Amino acid sequence: TDQQVAVLNILEDVEEEKRRAIVSEKRFEDIAKSSSDWIWEIDAQGQYTYVTDSVEKVLGYKSSEVIGKTPFDLMDEKEAQRVSEEFKKIVQKKLPIKDLVNLSIHKDGSKIYLQTNGMPIIGKDGSFLGYRGVDKDITREYQIDKAKTEFVSLASHQLRTPLSSINWYAEMLLAGDAGELNREQKGYLEEIYFGNQRMVKLVNALLNVSRLELGTFMVRPKLVNICYLADIVIKELQPRIKARNIKFIKKYDSQLPKIRVDVELMTMIFQNLLSNAVKYTPARGKVSLIIKKKNRKFIIKVSDNGYGIPRSQQDRVFSKLFRADNIKEKDTEGTGLGLYIIKSIVDNVQGKISFKSKLNKGTTFLVEMPLSGMKKKAGTKKLG
């Protein structure tokens, strides 16, 4: 009798757990149906094995039409190739998928921008079983962001003409073309000139950002000596280096061959990294530049013993308009766009940029790029 009672109690517990599981599954289904995002599961071959009905709201397909397909079947050929290459790198290391943006095709033929997040499914024996994740429709956000970028591009382009005129006339007045100036007049005019120069730099930076984001910039590689380009930038910075009595060290790999790069883009990388190192290193500090070959890559390493970047803000270093709090206190000038532009350039030419920094100890930036160089890209505008 005691055994029978015990068995009945166990059965009641099982039924209660089963009921809770059914209620929980029903809640999940209700939430999934009402969500504008669609949840999915793919196997190790990349085919959908589970898809919520929300996919119909986003892409127009019923869940039954998607099962058995891969995410790349829902994209055009060019986009599928781009995303599959990125996805292979993630799968090889069994990494989570974080904010992977892709362009999918709606059943009616329209284009839908999706943001994908997912986690790998790992079996008890450690085998890779696939991914489970969610896709979010970000088409509207993308269109708004694109419209803002186009506005910035148009506004910046229109500002260039009057700024060039101000610059030209200020130079003429300072040269005495309209008559001699007294000391006070010259002082005021110099302030106008240097203020206008800062505005020109800001407008050029905004134009570069918009061209990078719209994908309209061009890459025109040619065979050059990378170290020669670095030396040109160092020569430009010499007055600032001497004025602050900074010890500048450079080490170049004699085995480094000539590399196919876009001269303007490569020069921008050197200008930004080296000028920042000099600018944010106190007087009598030290800055070093190392360029070397490593396997199938060439490495650019720029180090300083300057102000450094606070640990709490390091995750924002490559974001637009970011300037660290300790730097803003010491130097009010700066657009906060330089490192964002450099990161975008490096990413677009199959390179990688990283950094290490300690507050009041210094910063080291590391750029890695393929020895094969940059690939040609047809665009409508150049950066610069």
Side-chain angles (χ1 to χ4, degrees), residues 267-318:
T267 302
M268 284 176 71
I269 292 171
F270 282 124
Q271 282 174 336
N272 188 276
L273 295 178
L274 292 173
S275 63
N276 276 357
V278 172
K279 188 176 183 181
Y280 302 130
T281 297
R284 293 181 295 280
K286 186 170 73 174
V287 173
S288 70
L289 167 66
I290 297 172
I291 305 176
K292 63 181 181 179
K293 182 177 75 169
K294 185 179 179 182
N295 300 326
R296 296 181 180 179
K297 297 177 181 179
F298 69 92
I299 311 292
I300 299 167
K301 186 178 180 182
V302 178
S303 302
D304 65 66
N305 63 349
Y307 305 124
I309 304 160
R311 180 180 288 275
S312 61
Q313 297 181 317
Q314 288 185 7
D315 61 334
R316 297 168 54 206
V317 163
F318 295 115

Side-chain angles (χ1 to χ4, degrees), residues 83-96:
V83 178
S84 64
E85 287 175 5
E86 213 167 326
F87 191 63
K88 280 176 189 173
K89 295 175 187 176
I90 296 169
V91 171
Q92 282 171 358
K93 297 180 180 179
K94 300 181 179 62
L95 297 172

